[in-house]
């Protein structure tokens, strides 16, 4: 593998990790800027899919979702990418801990396993997410401690 390819793969790993870090900090405005202007983000949960288009829609939906929880904590795992010029595709895995109150007011923790299928685009020397499909593979909900 050439040094240039390693540098590009590291930049893509940092892009995915930055997305997660910004979610944990609830900085959805900065997070939305990691996407191309016309990006799409599709979430698949239990066979149901919903798709967002564009930075504004992505930012608003992420902010609404994250506001439901007191704590959001991503832990990213493996990532495999293939690069073709200024385009790339990647798959990465993540576990997400969401802590908040359920409809009955009971504090709960929801641990989720997510697989991201991404398409990336390099614009003016910087990588962006052009398309993200989030597969919420499993979820474990239980009462949360203090």
């Amino acid at each position: 593998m050439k040094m240039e390819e390693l540098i590009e793969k590291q930049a893509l790993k940092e892009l995915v990790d930055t997305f997660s870090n910004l979610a944990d900090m609830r900085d959805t405005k900065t997070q939305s800027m990691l996407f191309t202007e016309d990006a799409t983000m599709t979430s698949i949960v239990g066979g149901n899919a919903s798709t967002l288009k564009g930075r504004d829609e992505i930012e608003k939906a992420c902010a609404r979702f994250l506001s439901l929880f007191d704590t959001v904590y991503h832990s990213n795992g493996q990532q495999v990418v293939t690069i073709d010029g200024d385009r790339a595709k990647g798959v990465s895995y993540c576990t997400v801990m969401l802590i908040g109150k359920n409809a009955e007011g009971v504090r709960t923790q929801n641990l989720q396993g997510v697989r991201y299928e991404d398409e990336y685009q390099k614009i003016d020397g910087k990588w962006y997410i052009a398309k993200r499909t989030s597969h919420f593979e499993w979820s474990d909900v239980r009462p949360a401690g203090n």
Side-chain angles (χ1 to χ4, degrees):
M1 187 176 310
K2 295 181 181 179
M3 181 61 78
E4 296 83 22
E5 187 176 3
L6 289 172
I7 291 169
E8 298 293 3
K9 286 185 175 199
Q10 180 58 39
L12 290 165
K13 173 72 172 140
E14 189 168 318
L15 175 63
V16 170
D17 289 348
T18 299
F19 173 90
S20 293
N21 290 346
L22 291 169
D24 293 350
M25 295 184 297
R26 292 178 172 71
D27 185 352
T28 55
K29 183 66 81 180
T30 304
Q31 186 186 48
S32 70
M33 299 307 293
L34 300 175
F35 290 85
T36 60
E37 289 185 34
D38 62 345
T40 60
M41 186 168 79
T42 301
S43 296
I44 302 172
V45 182
N48 298 314
S50 62
T51 300
L52 305 167
K53 184 162 177 66
R55 288 176 175 163
D56 190 51
E57 241 182 71
I58 291 168
E59 191 274 326
K60 286 177 181 172
C62 288
R64 271 192 311 274
F65 178 74
L66 295 174
S67 73
L68 300 173
F69 305 99
D70 300 326
T71 302
V72 179
Y73 190 88
H74 288 73
S75 181
N76 290 342
Q78 67 271 27
Q79 179 191 45
V80 177
V81 297
T82 55
I83 301 169
D84 185 13
D86 65 352
R87 300 265 181 190
K89 291 184 178 184
V91 175
S92 55
Y93 287 75
C94 179
T95 53
V96 184
M97 176 65 71
L98 304 167
I99 300 175
K101 292 183 179 171
N102 66 15
E104 292 79 35
V106 176
R107 189 169 156 84
T108 61
Q109 68 178 21
N110 181 345
L111 183 62
Q112 298 183 341
V114 186
R115 177 174 45 89
Y116 297 116
E117 291 180 0
D118 292 332
E119 294 180 18
Y120 310 103
Q121 183 177 358
K122 193 174 191 181
I123 302 170
D124 295 329
K126 184 176 176 184
W127 286 105
Y128 295 89
I129 302 168
K131 180 179 179 184
R132 167 163 276 189
T133 303
S134 305
H135 299 270
F136 291 83
E137 303 285 356
W138 55 266
S139 181
D140 180 19
V141 181
R142 59 183 67 189
N146 294 333

